[in-house]
Structures are given as C-alpha cells and as structure tokens.
C-alpha cells in the first residue's frame, strides 16, 4: 500500500498523497488554504476560475491546484510572490464585471467572492469601462437569479449533469459574453435543484422564498433532521428571533453527503401557514371556543375517561403520524395500552394488514444508505425513486454510474429516471405481483408451499430471468419495496415474494420506509399487534379498521386523515361518528372542526426535541430550535400530562431524554431481520379488467407541512400531480387529448374532474391519479377501478 503513496512538499511542509490525487485535495486534507471558486470535491474538475493558481518548482508558469496531480518530489509554493501575483490577477479579472451590489445581495456576509476578495483583491480597481449586464432568468419558484453576478464557475451546470442527472442549466457564449441559463427558457425541475444555491460561490443563484428576508449574520445555526422521508437527511436550520428563516444541508457522508432535496429545503415555509393552531380549543355544541391549556387537557381527559367507562377499554384508539418523533409515538401507544387498548397505528396509507403477524420487528432498508452506491445489482419494487426519497434515487444513480450496477424496476408505470436502468417492467398494479412472482419462478428454485399457486400461474420472460440472474451473480445485491408496494392491496404477497427472491439470490431485502419515522414507529410500538421493542400483544384495530368503524374515543397525533390516509374524504365521515376525538395538531382546518371535540396545539419537528429513526435504522436525536407558535407545546409533554390526568402509571418523565431511554431499554435486544414467511397459501392473483387507478402520494403533499409550503406547490412537479395521466391507447379509446377535462369515477361512486395528460410511460389499462392533494380528495387514496368520460367544451 505504501508504494501507492507519493511524497512531496508544500510551503516547506512534507505531505503524502495517493497516486492520482490532485494537489488541492491533499492540501485541503492537510489544512493548507488555497483559494478557489470552481472546485468542489463532489463535482468534476473544471479548472476554469484559475483562482487556485500556485507556483510549482520548475513549472514555467503557475498551475491550478485543482487539476494538477501530485508527483514524487514536487515542490509547491502557495504563498510565494509568483503565486500571490497570479491569484491577485485572477481576482482582479473576476471583479471586472462583477456588480457592486453587496449591500443588497442575499449572499452578502457569506459570499466566497467577498471572502477571497478581502484576502487577494486590491482596494482600488483599474477597470473603468462599462460593466456587462446579464438579464435574469426565471427558472421556477425556488431559485432566484441575478446572473450579472455570475463568475462562470459552472458548479451549477456540473451539479445538474453529474449529481441531479438532469442537464437543465448550461453555458452559452464565450469570454464576457458567456451566460448560464436553461434550455429555451424553461424552469429547473429537478427534485434536488436547491443544492445549486449552496454551490453558487456568489449571489447569482439564491433562494427565492427567503429572498430579502434577512442578513446572514442575523441567523443562528442549529442542527436538525429532515422528517419528510425515510432518509433522514441532516440539516442546519437557520433561525432569527426563534423563527425558521431557511434550511441548508449539514454534511453527513453516511446519510445525505452534502445534499438535501428541495422538499427538505423549502418545506419550512409551511411551518408558518395562516391556519396554525395557536391556542387550545373546545367544542361547545356546534361552536368552538379558545380555552386555556388546563381546561383543554382536563376536558380531553374527561372525555376519554367517560368513553372508557361507558364502552370499555377497547373503545379507545389512536391514529398517529409516521413523521412524529419516537418519543411522541412511544407515549401515544403507552397511554393507550395503559388504558387497556391496543388500537393504535401509524400505517395510515396501508390497506393490506394480513401479514402483520409475520411482519418484521422493524421493517428497514436492509443495508446502510452509504452502501447503496456499492451495489452491483438491485431490484426496486413499487417505488417511484425520485419522488418517494430523492436522495435514495441519487444513491441508486451513483451505483449505476460509478459501479455499473444492473438496476431492475418492477413498477406500475415507467419512471423518468436520471440514470440507465437495466430493465423497467411496468405492467400496472397487478403486474407488480405477476412480475415479481415471475422473477422468483425464473430462478427455478424450490418455492415455499404458500407461494406455489401464485408462482405456478405466471409466465416467465427473458426480463425475469435476467433480473434473477443479476441478483444471483452480484457480489452486492438488494431488493427494496417502495411506497406503492406498501400501499398495494396484496402487500403481504409482495413481501413474501421479495423475501423468497432474496433468500434464493443472497440479496439483501428491505423497505424504503414511509414518512420520516415509520421505522421508529415500529420500534416505539405504534402498531396494534406489538408493544415497544416488538413484543407481541393481542392485536387491536389497525388504521384501516379504525377509519371504517372508529372507536368511540380517538386520539389523533399530527395527521389530517383526509389527506394522510387511504380512506381519503371517507375518513371525515367516519371520524364524525366517534363520540370524542382529541386532536394534537400544529394546524387547524375546517374539516378538523367538524369531527374533533378537543384541539390541542402542538409544536412541529423544529419546535420540539425528539428522535427520528431513518430507513437504515439510524437513531438521530435533535433539539427544538424554533420558538413555539402561539401557545403550542411539545406533543410529548401534552401526552405526558394526559397520562397523569388519566391516572396511569409511568408518566412522570421530566425530559425527552428520559422517554428516549425507556424506548432504548425496550429495544436493546432487537435483532433486525426483514424475512417474511406466510403460514397459509396465497391464491393466484386475479387480473382486473378495464381501467385501474394507481394512487401515488403527490411528492409535495406527503404531510401537513409540505402541503402548506407554497413555493413547493408552485413547482412543475406539484402541478403535474394535478393531472390524470393515461396511456396513448386508453386516450385514443376515449377520444381524449392533452389538456382535455375528464370526469373520473372510481369504484362506481367516487368522482372528480381533472385535466388529462397523455403519457407514454403509463401502460394500457392504468390510470395514474395522485393522492394527498385537494383536487383528488373525494377519491379514496387507493387502487380502484375507474371510468373516464370526456367533458365536452
């Protein structure tokens, strides 16, 4: 190994690096500063800003440290007169056309150009000619442009090509006529687009939602965790006077590297929506009144106590959010179980609960997030990778590009991937089952008796054989079930098939967990059949049961059931039948006021301390960094007081750390294993006739905070979710074209009117209608048979 090390000298200091390392990489590791603008360790080397010029002994002129490989015995001088003169000349050149608008620039105070100019710029400029002006571009609702400030480092261009996988930004022209822009004035649509704001070393690209809202030196930086998907990206949350002003990435190579998704970056806007609940509220008949906390909590305890006395222990239930903290989820289930009820669930969008008894203690990804790029092969089932978890999609892209991984997809429709897939099998809702069964059959292995009828009923193609063989031959392979699979009406069958394929091929098997803390919810015991730590109990009512026939007394934590559950608007009618519904929520809606009896304002994830467990099982604890809105309180404290008022034992916690320690104690002996075995045979799947709806959750509507983040709702991604997508063949059959209005009926009596988009990615017989948005609220958020009727102009 030592033979690969190269010894050289920088400013009289002896350094060592690996063969092929660039000079700037080794000096950065050694803490030797070299100025730069275009270089970024996650991007390819461009060497076009020339700010990192250094003197190399025997070289005729200064060389760029970012593109100069180290060599044995080389001597480098970063502070010599020759190096300093080259750097100063470069700095002067970069400032020739740069506008003098630092006082109004959002980047002012944290600008790399300002910092470097202080060290390498002259106090007086020699340039007296007219500066160039570049017209700003409108590239969408998330990124503001001031292109006159651009210094052509091309970081944004390289990010799009190399990380996001979408070549949306590019350079045209040469010299001072060069401009950065989009193709034919289109907007930037990548789900990772906001990262160019962090990459831009000047104020050319800034965050549009926070533009002119603060100065950087006014902000306090606090660590946080993203709670909108199973990745759990690490963040820095910037606050001023206790209010969140912006969110930026916090580097963690094991989780999110240096990137975050637009969803994690801009959803903070929704924290301060106009419908934040600021004071506790009580229902008096048909009227609502604001009350003090003492009265509201006493009323909530009294109502639940009365329901229990009149109807028994099993008359209480709880529906909780998969985005809630581990501590909140744990206390919710502890309160219910201390009162004698096991009716609690966080799996609001799931419709098949038949595999609960055989389900893992904690369904998880099956491998580390950082190990995804090292995969040689993978089978991704029922997962829209770019929308469900953008950084999961990014890691898969790394595997495809850097490791030449063979990536196979079984999904309802073709995905617009940013990398080359070995195969996309897209045959609708029922096709997920038949394609997965055919992959197992292609292996010609002994099949468990529970799967024999299903496997025998399917036809095997070359695609299925190639998939099995790739998984079998790969040194590192994985099978992952996504959100569409978990919402599938035959979810347990998909679990059993995927688990069997993993056994036969040696691949890891896992789940891309929903929400920010679904894995933590399993550990905390927020499921009807298991307590914290996976200890089995007599199963209570699951989410599906409670949304069809609710218990008399219900506790809701952080959810809006009409958007967050498979029941859709039916949930509102169901909940209105309950005698008492105590709602712990950051927001209050008109719908909530129709079914709730007590409304208790609780803090969001940035306003309370807590722990979130990501898809790989990583526990991440953070503190509350923002001031509570109004009189809102941390939900774990509200639950603790409710426990005390209800007279149950074990609710004398003084801190969130004490709650977490109790959960850790319960989970200390857990061994993670995703293997699933069915005890009874599955029947052969029945093929549906006619049009079948697929109901993915709209990317920016997964929870109440995202839905209220207006900049996200204005994006092209959000707008596309407001259209019915059908195949060209189905469109021709119904005489439909792009832009037509259509009346869609699901299951015979649910209906909506929406605009049509004809999409070649949708297979014949499938209709894609997003869930979680107001436009489709009247439809249940699940698979169903649909009919289309064109509305005449």
């Amino acid at each position: 190994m030592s033979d690969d090390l190269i010894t050289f000298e920088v400013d009289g200091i002896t350094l060592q690096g690996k063969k092929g390392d660039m000079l700037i990489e080794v000096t950065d590791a050694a803490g030797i500063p070299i100025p730069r603008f275009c270089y970024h360790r996650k991007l390819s080397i461009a060497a076009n800003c020339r700010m990192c010029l250094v003197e190399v002994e025997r070289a005729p002129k200064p060389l760029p440290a970012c593109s100069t490989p180290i060599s044995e015995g080389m001597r480098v001088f970063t502070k010599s007169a020759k190096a300093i003169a080259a750097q100063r000349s470069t700095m002067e050149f970069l400032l020739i056309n740069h506008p003098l608008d630092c006082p109004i620039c959002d980047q002012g105070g944290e600008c790399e150009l300002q910092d470097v100019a202080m060290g390498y710029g002259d106090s007086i400029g020699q340039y007296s000619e007219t500066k160039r002006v570049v017209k700003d571009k409108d590239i969408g609702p998330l990124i503001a442009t001031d292109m006159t400030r651009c210094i052509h480092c091309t970081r944004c261009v390289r990010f799009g090509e190399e990380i996001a996988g979408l070549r949306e930004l590019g350079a045209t022209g040469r010299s001072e006529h060069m401009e950065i822009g989009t193709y034919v004035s289109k907007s930037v649509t990548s789900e990772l687009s906001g990262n160019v704001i962090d990459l831009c070393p000047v104020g050319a690209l800034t965050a549009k939602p926070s533009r002119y809202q603060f100065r950087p030196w006014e902000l306090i930086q606090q660590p946080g965790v993203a709670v909108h998907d199973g990745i759990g990206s690490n963040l820095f949350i910037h606050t001023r006077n206790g209010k969140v002003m912006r969110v930026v990435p916090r580097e963690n190579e094991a989780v999110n590297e240096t990137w975050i998704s637009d969803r994690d970056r801009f959803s903070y806007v929704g924290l301060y929506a106009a419908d934040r609940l600021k004071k506790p509220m009580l229902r008096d008949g048909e009227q609502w009144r604001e009350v003090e906390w003492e009265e509201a909590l006493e009323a909530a305890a009294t109502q639940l106590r009365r329901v229990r006395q009149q109807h028994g222990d099993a008359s209480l239930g709880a529906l909780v959010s998969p985005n809630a903290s581990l501590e909140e989820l744990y206390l919710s289930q502890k309160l219910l179980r201390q009162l004698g009820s096991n009716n609690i669930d966080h799996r609001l969008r799931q419709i098949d609960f038949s595999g609960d008894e055989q389900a893992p203690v904690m369904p998880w990804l099956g491998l580390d997030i950082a190990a995804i790029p090292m995969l040689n092969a993978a089978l991704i089932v029922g997962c829209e990778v770019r929308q469900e978890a953008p950084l999961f999609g990014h890691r898969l892209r790394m595997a495809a590009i850097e490791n030449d991984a063979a990536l196979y997809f079984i999904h309802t429709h073709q995905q617009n991937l940013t990398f080359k897939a070995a195969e996309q099998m897209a045959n609708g809702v029922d096709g997920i089952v038949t394609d997965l069964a055919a992959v197992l059959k292609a292996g010609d292995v002994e099949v468990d008796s529970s799967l024999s009828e299903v496997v025998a009923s399917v036809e095997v193609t070359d695609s299925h054989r190639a998939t099995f063989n790739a998984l079998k031959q790969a040194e590192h392979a994985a099978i992952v079930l996504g959100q569409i699979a978990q919402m599938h009406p035959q979810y347990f069958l998909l679990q059993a098939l995927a688990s069997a394929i993993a056994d036969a091929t040696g691949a890891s098997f896992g789940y891309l967990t929903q929400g920010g803390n679904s894995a933590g919810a399993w550990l905390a015991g927020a499921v009807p059949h298991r307590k914290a730590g996976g200890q089995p109990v007599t199963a209570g009512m699951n989410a599906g049961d409670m949304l069809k026939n609710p218990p008399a007394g219900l506790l809701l934590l952080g959810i809006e059931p009409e958007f967050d559950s498979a029941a859709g608007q039916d949930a509102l009618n169901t909940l209105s039948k309950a005698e008492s519904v105590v709602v712990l929520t950051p927001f209050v809606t008109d719908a909530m006021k129709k079914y709730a009896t007590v409304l208790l304002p609780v803090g969001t994830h940035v306003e309370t301390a807590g722990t979130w467990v990501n898809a790989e099982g990583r526990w991440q604890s953070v503190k509350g960094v923002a001031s509570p809105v109004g009189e809102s309180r941390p939900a774990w404290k509200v639950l603790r007081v409710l426990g005390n008022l209800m007279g149950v034992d074990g609710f004398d916690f003084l801190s969130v750390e004490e709650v977490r320690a109790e959960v850790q104690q319960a989970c200390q002996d857990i061994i993670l294993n995703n293997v699933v075995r069915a005890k009874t045979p599955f029947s052969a799947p029945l093929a549906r006739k006619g049009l079948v709806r697929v109901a993915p959750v709209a990317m920016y509507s997964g929870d109440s905070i995202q839905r209220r983040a207006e900049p996200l709702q204005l994006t092209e991604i959000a707008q596309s979710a407001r259209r019915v997508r059908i195949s060209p063949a189905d469109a021709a059959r119904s005489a439909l074209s792009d832009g037509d209005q259509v009346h869609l009926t699901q299951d015979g009596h649910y209906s909506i009117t929406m605009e049509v988009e004809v999409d070649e990615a949708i297979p014949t017989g499938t209709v894609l209608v997003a869930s979680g948005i107001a436009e489709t609220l009247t439809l249940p958020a699940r698979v169903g048979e649909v009919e289309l009727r064109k509305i005449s102009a």
Side-chain angles (χ1 to χ4, degrees):
M1 189 70 178
S2 59
D3 294 340
D4 294 333
L5 291 178
I6 292 173
T7 302
F8 65 105
E9 186 180 292
V10 178
D11 295 336
I13 302 172
T14 301
L15 300 177
Q16 285 189 324
K18 295 180 181 179
K19 185 177 181 180
D21 283 352
M22 296 300 155
L23 178 58
I24 202 168
E25 296 173 332
V26 184
T27 55
D28 281 354
I32 299 174
I34 295 178
R36 83 289 303 274
F37 291 115
C38 69
Y39 174 77
H40 190 280
R41 64 186 183 84
K42 290 288 184 179
L43 304 176
S44 63
I45 294 171
N48 54 7
C49 78
R50 318 308 282 182
M51 194 64 230
C52 64
L53 291 173
V54 294
E55 180 182 357
V56 179
E57 190 177 58
R58 293 192 296 273
K61 58 183 179 180
L63 300 178
C66 68
S67 61
T68 300
I70 59 175
S71 59
E72 187 68 38
M74 75 185 299
R75 298 183 66 202
V76 180
F77 306 94
T78 67
K79 298 180 178 64
S80 66
K82 191 174 184 180
I84 294 295
Q87 292 163 355
R88 285 187 177 276
S89 296
T90 300
M91 190 73 247
E92 182 179 18
F93 178 76
L94 290 173
L95 291 175
I96 280 178
N97 278 310
H98 200 79
L100 299 176
D101 62 352
C102 295
I104 64 161
C105 178
D106 263 15
Q107 197 85 349
E110 55 184 3
C111 175
E112 293 178 46
L113 188 68
Q114 282 182 331
D115 294 341
V116 176
M118 287 294 293
Y120 299 90
D122 288 328
S123 57
I124 299 175
Q126 303 178 57
Y127 187 79
S128 60
E129 287 78 7
T130 303
K131 292 177 180 281
R132 75 165 193 161
V133 175
V134 180
K135 185 179 179 181
D136 295 334
K137 282 85 174 171
D138 184 359
I139 60 174
L142 304 180
I143 304 170
T145 62
D146 286 279
M147 302 314 295
T148 302
R149 299 171 184 160
C150 179
I151 61 171
H152 307 150
C153 70
T154 69
R155 284 184 181 180
C156 58
V157 177
R158 284 175 285 148
F159 172 83
E161 294 178 356
E162 300 162 15
I163 306 300
L166 296 173
R167 191 173 184 177
E168 297 180 300
L169 292 172
T172 57
R174 299 185 63 188
S175 187
E176 73 168 17
H177 299 295
M178 180 177 175
E179 293 185 21
I180 302 295
T182 57
Y183 176 70
V184 196
S185 300
K186 290 187 177 293
S187 62
V188 173
T189 61
S190 168
E191 65 279 10
L192 301 172
S193 67
N195 289 288
V196 300
I197 297 169
D198 307 318
L199 289 172
C200 185
V202 294
L205 301 175
T206 55
K208 188 174 283 188
S210 61
R211 188 173 185 173
Y212 301 144
Q213 299 297 309
F214 55 81
R215 303 303 299 188
W217 54 83
E218 299 174 329
L219 304 179
I220 297 175
Q221 177 172 281
Q222 302 275 13
V225 173
V227 301
H228 304 298
D229 60 41
I231 299 300
S233 296
N234 287 203
L235 315 169
F236 277 124
I237 300 171
H238 292 168
T239 63
R240 183 182 64 187
N241 299 327
K243 182 178 180 179
V244 178
M245 303 304 294
R246 71 173 173 187
V247 172
V248 298
R250 174 162 57 101
E251 183 176 349
N252 187 334
E253 287 294 325
V255 180
N256 58 297
E257 301 178 88
T258 61
W259 319 118
I260 57 174
S261 67
D262 290 350
R263 176 167 58 197
D264 296 334
R265 183 185 299 272
F266 296 109
S267 60
Y268 77 90
V269 178
L271 295 171
Y272 304 106
D275 60 352
R276 274 302 293 261
L277 180 59
K278 298 179 180 179
K279 281 183 68 72
M281 299 183 73
L282 277 182
R283 176 195 291 275
D284 279 343
E286 295 300 316
Q287 302 299 316
W288 283 88
R289 61 185 176 91
E290 294 183 346
V291 298
E292 298 302 319
W293 267 103
E294 291 79 4
E295 183 179 354
L297 288 167
E298 187 61 52
T302 299
Q303 290 181 18
L304 295 177
R305 194 182 300 116
R306 183 177 63 248
V307 167
R308 185 186 180 207
Q309 289 171 350
Q310 293 178 353
H311 305 286
D313 295 348
S315 63
L316 298 179
L319 294 170
V320 294
S321 169
N323 293 344
S325 73
L326 182 77
E327 294 81 2
E328 294 164 358
L329 293 163
Y330 176 73
L331 291 180
S332 298
Q333 66 85 34
K334 183 173 183 178
L335 175 61
L336 262 289
R337 291 197 161 102
Q338 291 281 57
L339 295 173
S341 173
N342 290 323
N343 303 330
I344 183 168
D345 211 345
H346 72 282
R347 302 164 299 168
L348 307 180
R349 293 192 170 101
Q350 187 171 320
I351 59 176
D352 177 16
F353 299 93
S354 59
D356 277 4
E357 186 180 341
Q358 288 77 39
V361 172
M362 185 194 83
W364 68 297
L365 190 59
L367 74 167
D368 290 340
I369 292 172
I372 296 173
M374 274 77 84
L375 290 173
N376 306 111
L379 172 59
I380 313 300
V381 183
C383 178
E384 189 96 22
V385 293
R386 289 180 57 192
Q387 298 209 12
E388 291 183 24
L391 289 176
F392 176 68
H394 162 63
R395 294 279 190 171
L396 286 177
R397 172 178 161 80
M398 292 175 66
I401 294 176
E402 299 175 9
N403 209 34
D404 198 26
L407 303 180
Y408 293 84
F409 291 82
I410 294 177
H411 197 44
T412 56
H413 56 279
Q414 294 281 328
Q415 300 185 50
N416 182 21
L417 300 172
T418 58
F419 51 86
K420 184 178 179 181
E423 183 79 42
Q424 285 202 61
M425 290 168 269
N427 295 302
V429 173
D430 299 319
I432 294 182
V433 175
T434 55
D435 281 328
L436 195 58
V439 171
L440 178 58
K441 186 175 183 179
D444 196 23
V445 295
E446 185 177 350
V447 177
D448 188 87
S449 59
S450 64
L451 297 171
S452 57
E453 183 180 342
V454 174
V455 172
S457 68
V458 298
E459 298 290 332
V460 177
T461 68
D462 290 343
S463 295
H464 301 129
R465 295 186 187 92
T467 304
F468 185 92
N469 291 335
L471 295 172
K472 180 74 172 177
Q473 296 166 10
E475 182 180 358
H476 302 292
I479 302 170
V480 177
L481 297 185
Q483 189 175 87
I484 292 294
Q486 293 167 49
M487 295 166 60
H488 198 280
Q490 293 174 290
Y491 174 41
F492 184 30
L493 174 54
L494 294 179
Q495 289 177 286
L497 288 169
S499 183
I501 296 170
D503 283 348
T505 60
S508 67
F509 167 48
Y511 307 80
L512 186 59
T513 55
Q514 298 187 42
N517 204 18
S518 179
W522 282 88
L523 295 178
V527 286
H529 56 294
R530 293 189 188 142
K531 295 196 297 184
Q535 302 174 50
V537 295
T538 301
M541 297 174 71
N542 57 50
D545 294 334
M546 285 187 273
L547 288 168
K548 290 177 184 175
N549 184 25
L554 265 175
L555 179 74
L556 305 186
L557 173 62
I559 67 169
E560 295 171 298
E562 66 272 31
F563 292 110
D564 296 327
S565 76
Q569 195 168 27
D570 278 355
L572 302 181
N573 301 326
T574 300
L575 292 173
S576 64
K577 300 175 184 177
E579 293 181 18
S580 175
V581 182
V582 177
V583 182
L584 282 65
T585 176
F587 306 99
V588 58
T589 64
D590 291 339
M592 210 173 278
K593 289 183 177 181
K594 292 179 180 178
Y595 62 75
T597 54
V598 182
L599 293 170
L600 302 176
V602 296
T604 61
H605 65 286
V606 298
E607 297 155 10
T608 180
T611 303
W612 282 263
V613 183
N614 72 356
E616 66 179 351
R618 181 185 297 267
W619 293 43
Q620 300 189 106
S621 300
V622 293
K623 297 179 179 179
V625 300
S627 300
V629 173
E631 295 183 14
S632 61
R633 300 287 185 268
W636 76 268
K637 290 186 177 181
V638 176
L639 291 164
R640 178 194 63 186
V641 176
L642 274 178
N644 292 330
L645 292 174
M646 296 290 289
V648 299
D649 296 329
F651 271 74
D652 53 351
F653 302 103
L654 297 178
S655 68
V656 74
E657 287 78 15
E658 291 183 13
V659 183
R660 181 165 63 248
E662 192 167 300
V663 186
Q664 290 173 328
Q665 178 69 25
C667 297
Q668 62 180 348
D669 297 325
I670 284 179
I671 298 175
L672 297 181
N673 188 343
N674 283 330
V675 173
V676 173
R677 294 283 186 272
K679 295 182 179 180
T680 57
F682 293 99
S683 299
L686 298 175
R688 303 169 203 263
K689 296 180 180 180
L691 298 176
V692 179
R693 179 199 178 188
V694 180
V697 180
M699 183 174 184
Y700 295 142
S701 298
D703 56 64
S704 57
I705 296 175
Q706 294 179 60
R707 286 191 289 269
R708 288 166 171 81
E710 185 177 357
L712 291 178
Q713 301 308 322
L714 294 175
T715 61
E716 188 171 313
I717 292 174
Q719 295 302 316
S720 67
R722 293 171 169 83
R723 294 190 285 269
V724 174
R725 293 167 59 190
I726 61 175
S727 71
D730 290 326
R733 192 174 298 113
S734 301
L736 292 169
S737 303
D738 277 334
D740 285 346
Q741 291 291 312
V742 65
H743 184 81
L744 182 148
T745 304
Q746 180 172 337
D747 297 334
H749 61 282
Y750 302 98
S751 62
I752 60 170
T753 299
M754 288 187 80
E755 182 181 315
V756 164
E757 177 183 341
V758 181
D759 190 344
E760 292 182 354
I762 308 298
T764 302
T766 295
V767 178
L768 194 148
V769 185
S771 60
I773 57 177
E775 289 80 358
T776 63
L777 187 59
T778 55
L779 303 181
R782 58 177 182 261
V783 170
E785 296 183 4
V786 298
E787 294 180 359
L788 301 177
R789 178 172 57 82
K790 182 178 179 179
I791 299 176
S792 302

